[in-house]
Amino acid sequence: MKAVRLYAAGDLRFEEIQRPPKPGADEVRLRVTAAGICGSDLHNYRTGQWISRTPSVAGHEFSGVIDAVGQNIPSELIGTKVVADSRYWCGECDNCRMGFQHICSNLGFVGEIIDGGFAEEIVLPHRLVHEVNSRVPSHIAAMAEPLAVALHALNRLQLPSKAPLLIVGCGTIGGFAALLASRLHDGPILVADLNADRANLAASVCKARIVEMSADVLRRASDGMAVRFALDATGSLQVISQLPELIDGGGSIALVGISHGTFPLDPNVLVEREISLEGCHAFKDELPQVIKMLPDLQDDLEKLIDEVIELADVPNAYERLLAGKCQGLKTIIQIDR
């Protein structure tokens, strides 16, 4: 079968490989229909930070159709359209037993510790697949995983009604957070991004207001209301350092971007202004919720797609995306047309 595998940092190959084996007792085999390229895929390709086995089929955002099941799985599930949970947790550590699978002590990710979805077929534990409405197109279903990440970040903020929300970074997660906030929150949505095209796209689709990183600008854009809640989807140390001084006291900052390096932080700023920093890792229970929202989100998600490509185009797409040559927020790989 055709697949895209990561061998080492900077070494990504489109190639023919063996089909996966028959599913084990508690596993299912999927015919992968569509997948998305994630910023963490690009990060791993550039740095090799999360390479734990090589080569490994990349990709953790994907949809598919069950075409074979193990002996413990009902055969009636064959033909079911599903999306994949990207988190590969142990189920045995204290965190897992308490329902915190996203911070499992032994956590790995699909496409890292096991083969991922940039392939025509994949075998997964049945617990990692979730049924999706059969009328939802595969390329829309493939965006459920990053939508769950965005929703988890919003949930960590615990936004009060009517409170303005500042989202910094209008890439996939920031843009998806703005889209979800436009459905789930009743306060002003403010977006900031150095890339004017991305900011304009997110603002137009999500009914958000584009702002500069200035306290006066934020206050004017929020109709004079205090801006106490912010979501950073950039991972930029400069942005993260700026936010505690920029927003009003008594709120929270959700950190969902991937950062590089460390920065000095005066904890007195957090203490005296009662600002909380909320780390946001993957998602907790949000995937089933966003799956239910897909039919309502479909039209707007279509507008946020940058390009639809084939598996053979993935290595070139990585280079293009790393060079910042994109107009939309999500590159989709259509695998089974």
Side-chain angles (χ1 to χ4, degrees), residues 10 169 173 215:
I173 301 303

Side-chain angles (χ1 to χ4, degrees), residues 184-207:
L184 301 172
H185 184 54
D186 58 0
I189 303 168
L190 316 177
V191 295
D193 197 302
L194 293 176
N195 185 318
D197 290 337
R198 289 199 310 192
N200 285 322
L201 177 60
S204 64
V205 173
C206 307
K207 300 178 178 60

Side-chain angles (χ1 to χ4, degrees), residues 180-255:
L180 290 166
S182 74
R183 300 296 202 279
L184 301 172
H185 184 54
D186 58 0
I189 303 168
L190 316 177
V191 295
D193 197 302
L194 293 176
N195 185 318
D197 290 337
R198 289 199 310 192
N200 285 322
L201 177 60
S204 64
V205 173
C206 307
K207 300 178 178 60
R209 307 171 188 177
I210 300 174
V211 297
E212 297 176 355
M213 298 288 281
S214 156
D216 290 340
V217 171
L218 293 181
R219 184 61 69 98
R220 288 196 300 270
S222 62
D223 302 324
M225 291 187 289
V227 181
R228 307 183 192 279
F229 297 89
L231 186 155
D232 173 70
T234 68
S236 164
L237 299 182
Q238 181 179 355
V239 170
I240 297 170
S241 301
Q242 184 182 3
L243 283 173
E245 296 280 4
L246 182 65
I247 67 170
D248 291 278
S252 301
I253 301 168
L255 305 180

Side-chain angles (χ1 to χ4, degrees), residues 86-254:
S86 59
R87 310 162 305 165
Y88 197 91
W89 68 87
C90 71
E92 299 176 357
C93 69
D94 287 344
N95 286 336
C96 283
R97 286 197 293 268
M98 295 185 67
F100 296 109
Q101 289 92 345
H102 62 306
I103 51 172
C104 166
S105 299
N106 304 297
L107 185 68
F109 284 86
V110 176
E112 175 208 341
I113 63 171
I114 65 170
D115 281 341
F118 290 179
E120 293 178 310
E121 293 182 352
I122 183 174
V123 170
L124 289 174
H126 178 241
R127 62 186 172 88
L128 294 187
V129 300
H130 295 258
E131 184 173 354
V132 64
N133 188 316
S134 61
R135 293 187 296 274
V136 173
S138 60
H139 64 287
I140 297 296
M143 291 187 264
E145 196 273 353
L147 281 165
V149 174
L151 181 56
H152 181 62
L154 289 176
N155 286 343
R156 293 281 287 164
L157 281 175
Q158 298 183 335
L159 288 167
S161 178
K162 307 298 184 182
L165 167 65
L166 170 64
I167 297 174
V168 188
C170 295
T172 300
I173 301 303
F176 283 6
L179 177 60
L180 290 166
S182 74
R183 300 296 202 279
L184 301 172
H185 184 54
D186 58 0
I189 303 168
L190 316 177
V191 295
D193 197 302
L194 293 176
N195 185 318
D197 290 337
R198 289 199 310 192
N200 285 322
L201 177 60
S204 64
V205 173
C206 307
K207 300 178 178 60
R209 307 171 188 177
I210 300 174
V211 297
E212 297 176 355
M213 298 288 281
S214 156
D216 290 340
V217 171
L218 293 181
R219 184 61 69 98
R220 288 196 300 270
S222 62
D223 302 324
M225 291 187 289
V227 181
R228 307 183 192 279
F229 297 89
L231 186 155
D232 173 70
T234 68
S236 164
L237 299 182
Q238 181 179 355
V239 170
I240 297 170
S241 301
Q242 184 182 3
L243 283 173
E245 296 280 4
L246 182 65
I247 67 170
D248 291 278
S252 301
I253 301 168

Side-chain angles (χ1 to χ4, degrees), residues 2-143:
K2 297 177 176 64
V4 175
R5 295 199 291 183
L6 182 65
Y7 281 75
D11 187 358
L12 185 74
R13 308 179 196 177
F14 168 70
E15 55 192 1
E16 288 277 349
I17 66 172
Q18 288 187 338
R19 295 177 63 191
K22 292 181 179 180
D26 296 305
E27 295 178 326
V28 296
R29 188 178 68 206
L30 307 186
R31 173 173 51 81
V32 182
T33 51
I37 297 177
C38 176
S40 61
D41 294 325
L42 302 176
H43 176 82
N44 202 26
Y45 168 73
R46 187 168 63 83
T47 68
Q49 179 176 347
W50 301 307
I51 294 177
S52 59
R53 54 195 288 273
T54 182
S56 183
V57 176
H60 59 269
E61 303 175 4
F62 56 95
S63 60
V65 175
I66 296 175
D67 70 359
V69 298
Q71 63 185 32
N72 293 338
I73 309 301
S75 60
E76 293 81 16
L77 291 179
I78 293 175
T80 302
K81 179 180 284 189
V82 297
V83 297
D85 184 333
S86 59
R87 310 162 305 165
Y88 197 91
W89 68 87
C90 71
E92 299 176 357
C93 69
D94 287 344
N95 286 336
C96 283
R97 286 197 293 268
M98 295 185 67
F100 296 109
Q101 289 92 345
H102 62 306
I103 51 172
C104 166
S105 299
N106 304 297
L107 185 68
F109 284 86
V110 176
E112 175 208 341
I113 63 171
I114 65 170
D115 281 341
F118 290 179
E120 293 178 310
E121 293 182 352
I122 183 174
V123 170
L124 289 174
H126 178 241
R127 62 186 172 88
L128 294 187
V129 300
H130 295 258
E131 184 173 354
V132 64
N133 188 316
S134 61
R135 293 187 296 274
V136 173
S138 60
H139 64 287
I140 297 296
M143 291 187 264

